[in-house]
Amino acid sequence: MKTIFTVLCVIGINIFLSAQKVDYKNNIITVDGQKIGKVEVQKQNLGLTKNFNLYSMEGEKLVIAVLSTEFEGDKNDNTTMYYRFTFLPTNQVGIFKLSTLGMEKGFVNLIGKGGVVEGNSLNEAKITELIASKGVSPRTAVNYTLVSRNKNWPIELKETKAIEQGGEQIGFFTSTGSRNGQDFYEFFIPGGILVAKVNFAGGNNAQNFELFSAKDNVRKVVSIPQKDNVKFLSSAVDPNALTLKRITAWLVQNGYL
């Protein structure tokens, strides 16, 4: 009995020591008395929803958390909303639930208790652990309406990542990083609904791309016919601007964007 009691005491002490106290005041997150970052709150929809940016104490942007409307709501839970967290220094992305009544507090607790901030940057291993333990994989909503337009107009990709055709924005894209020689991107319609995920190798000389579509819930490889041999491209839009333009044109012509 004495041995068991001693073991339980040790476990209790370890749990107590590992527990982290997260405080939040004047937009500063403090963990166990140490300031780890500053939160920028961006109010949306007349203040009904919020997006968040996390900066290090030295001003480096570390995390972007935005409300994700491309996912189907949880029929058994109407008290939370899905947020997409982009961890900038590590190019990792995770989907998390935040309370509709405490979005800001939920964001702060995830960051503080997750231990992901390390000095002026992020800890990649801690982020992986946070996504695995707290992240969710909701089903993508597929009901969306495309902007009415003349498809004969050329497509333009802007430095802001907006996609325009005939002077109207028809969507936008974002890079989600590079892994194992592949570059990954996501495409959205203007309202923020995710319509396609793509990845490819070869940069601006890519011959094909892998597509996952929320519209028909399929993953397939699509050919990119082109004769270019691009050795170097300087573009303010994206290093892979030529391939992205070809992919965007395909998405438009096939009714995805």
Side-chain angles (χ1 to χ4, degrees), residues 118-210:
E118 192 171 77
N120 201 41
S121 191
L122 299 176
N123 184 311
E124 185 173 351
K126 287 290 186 179
I127 294 170
T128 301
E129 183 180 340
L130 181 66
I131 293 173
S133 61
K134 299 294 184 180
V136 295
S137 300
R139 181 177 176 180
T140 304
V142 295
N143 296 320
Y144 60 88
T145 302
L146 297 177
V147 176
S148 179
R149 62 189 182 279
N150 184 349
K151 292 186 178 181
N152 293 322
W153 284 91
I155 294 167
E156 296 182 79
L157 304 184
K158 301 294 187 179
E159 291 182 31
T160 60
K161 311 304 181 186
I163 303 169
E164 293 186 2
Q165 188 174 46
E168 285 191 69
Q169 183 177 349
I170 64 172
F172 63 93
F173 71 93
T174 182
S175 168
T176 57
S178 302
R179 298 182 292 280
N180 300 321
Q182 297 272 328
D183 294 316
F184 292 76
Y185 293 85
E186 294 180 349
F187 288 80
F188 304 80
I189 60 173
I193 295 177
L194 176 70
V195 297
K197 295 182 179 182
V198 306
N199 58 277
F200 55 87
N204 287 302
N205 295 305
Q207 299 295 310
N208 53 61
F209 67 94
E210 185 177 32

Side-chain angles (χ1 to χ4, degrees), residues 3-23:
T3 302
I4 295 175
F5 179 76
T6 301
V7 171
L8 291 176
C9 285
V10 171
I11 294 174
I13 291 171
N14 287 336
I15 292 175
F16 175 77
L17 292 176
S18 64
Q20 293 178 313
K21 182 181 179 182
V22 178
D23 291 316

Side-chain angles (χ1 to χ4, degrees), residues 69-120:
T69 58
E70 72 267 27
F71 299 114
E72 292 184 358
D74 188 339
K75 296 178 181 179
N76 299 316
D77 180 11
N78 60 1
T79 64
T80 59
M81 295 182 291
Y82 295 118
Y83 272 76
R84 178 186 301 274
F85 283 49
T86 302
F87 301 92
L88 296 175
T90 63
N91 287 323
Q92 291 166 284
V93 177
I95 306 298
F96 300 90
K97 280 185 174 184
L98 296 183
S99 170
T100 55
L101 298 177
M103 293 167 278
E104 193 167 348
K105 182 179 179 181
F107 173 76
V108 168
N109 281 332
L110 272 174
I111 295 298
K113 294 181 179 179
V116 298
V117 179
E118 192 171 77
N120 201 41

